[in-house]
Amino acid sequence: MASSEEDVSAEDKENNRKKTKRPFVTAWLTVYNIAMTAGWMVLAVAMIRFYIQKGTHKGLYKSISRTLKFFQTFALLEIFHCAFGMVRTSVIVTGVQVCSRIFMVWFVTHSIKQIQNEESVVLFLVAWTVTEITRYSFYTFSLLNHLPYFIKWARYNLFIVLYPVGVAGELLTIYAALPYVRKSGMLSVRLPNKYNVSFDYYICLIIVMLSYIPLFPQLFFHMLRQRRKVLHGEVMVEKED
């Protein structure tokens, strides 16, 4: 009996500790999502303004690259949010999504300047920007317990078009980078060397492209399942009422 009472007491203490921490977690997540929404909105305005002024997409990436790199890299915090239980999302799914974006920004578009004016870069930039404004707005209003239906609808419908468009842009950009990487041998390590290891960045990019074959359907259908659960579940409740 003593052992049981100690267990209950320990459980109560743990629950009280979680309740105490939760307001701080909610506050942090709200600030984070507001900041990320604002950041991607700044990017959207910058892209629109650039195209209106210049009438071309050439030079667009260079004009927004600092802001893009900052906010996309800042998204690494989302992996920690999952790992520490601040949000109920898979660490693996979040890690794959965030790291693939960071790879595209730093190791492809930033590193290979010859491809920065490719139309495919604009393709994934537009898809990312609309997606992230919608996603972070959704999280912000959800945390504030005041979620407009049109944001909820956008969150679970726009991805049907934006996700494939973004993936197409990423793949086409990596494909455009292959000749430059092969010719320059950039980021590759050749034998012989004192570490006795080799690394071919050209082959690495091909492997990354091939990895989209199993990963894209899994992530896309995961979102479709979430869409059915959220939107169709709501319709069923309305019909019952």
Side-chain angles (χ1 to χ4, degrees):
M1 181 63 73
S3 175
S4 176
E5 289 176 352
E6 288 173 3
D7 290 341
V8 172
S9 177
E11 185 178 348
D12 289 341
K13 288 180 181 178
E14 179 66 15
N15 289 335
N16 290 333
R17 185 180 64 83
K18 287 182 179 179
K19 286 179 181 178
T20 303
K21 280 190 173 184
R22 192 64 201 174
F24 295 101
V25 171
T26 302
W28 161 248
L29 291 175
T30 302
V31 170
Y32 172 81
N33 284 294
I34 289 173
M36 294 299 277
T37 303
W40 284 96
M41 288 183 73
V42 167
L43 278 166
V45 171
M47 286 192 287
I48 294 169
R49 182 181 296 172
F50 180 91
Y51 192 79
I52 291 173
Q53 292 176 348
K54 306 292 184 180
T56 177
H57 69 279
K58 294 182 178 179
L60 172 63
Y61 179 83
K62 186 177 180 181
S63 72
I64 65 164
S65 60
R66 288 186 179 180
T67 308
L68 174 68
K69 285 183 282 191
F70 175 81
F71 282 101
Q72 190 55 71
T73 305
F74 199 58
L76 279 169
L77 285 175
E78 292 173 31
I79 299 175
F80 294 98
H81 294 166
C82 298
F84 291 109
M86 297 170 72
V87 295
R88 292 180 297 174
T89 308
S90 167
V91 177
I92 295 174
V93 171
T94 302
V96 168
Q97 291 175 328
V98 172
C99 291
S100 65
R101 292 275 194 89
I102 289 175
F103 179 82
M104 280 299 305
V105 169
W106 285 103
F107 294 97
V108 180
T109 321
H110 169 76
S111 300
I112 309 164
K113 292 179 171 54
Q114 296 92 328
I115 64 167
Q116 290 178 359
N117 289 327
E118 292 286 331
E119 293 179 354
S120 58
V121 173
V122 180
L123 204 63
F124 75 71
L125 282 178
V126 171
W128 287 9
T129 302
V130 178
T131 298
E132 297 300 60
I133 290 173
T134 305
R135 185 167 71 94
Y136 289 117
S137 297
F138 175 85
Y139 292 151
T140 299
F141 284 108
S142 295
L143 287 163
L144 296 173
N145 295 315
H146 186 70
L147 178 63
Y149 182 78
F150 77 92
I151 291 180
K152 184 177 183 178
W153 181 92
R155 166 67 174 148
Y156 289 103
N157 282 284
L158 293 183
F159 81 91
I160 297 173
V161 175
L162 293 174
Y163 200 8
V165 168
V167 167
E170 293 170 30
L171 288 172
L172 289 171
T173 301
I174 296 174
Y175 182 77
L178 289 176
Y180 300 105
V181 173
R182 188 170 192 174
K183 184 178 180 179
S184 65
M186 63 175 293
L187 301 180
S188 298
V189 179
R190 307 296 185 190
L191 289 172
N193 58 68
K194 63 179 181 179
Y195 300 107
N196 199 32
V197 295
S198 64
F199 174 76
D200 192 324
Y201 189 52
Y202 177 81
I203 299 299
C204 175
L205 288 179
I206 293 176
I207 293 172
V208 168
M209 291 179 71
L210 292 174
S211 71
Y212 278 70
I213 297 173
L215 290 176
F216 169 71
Q218 289 185 42
L219 295 174
F220 187 74
F221 286 117
H222 170 74
M223 284 298 296
L224 285 177
R225 287 192 295 271
Q226 291 295 106
R227 178 180 181 272
R228 286 195 296 268
K229 179 180 177 181
V230 174
L231 297 184
H232 288 231
E234 182 178 80
V235 171
M236 288 174 65
V237 170
E238 289 176 353
K239 286 181 178 179
E240 288 176 1
D241 291 343

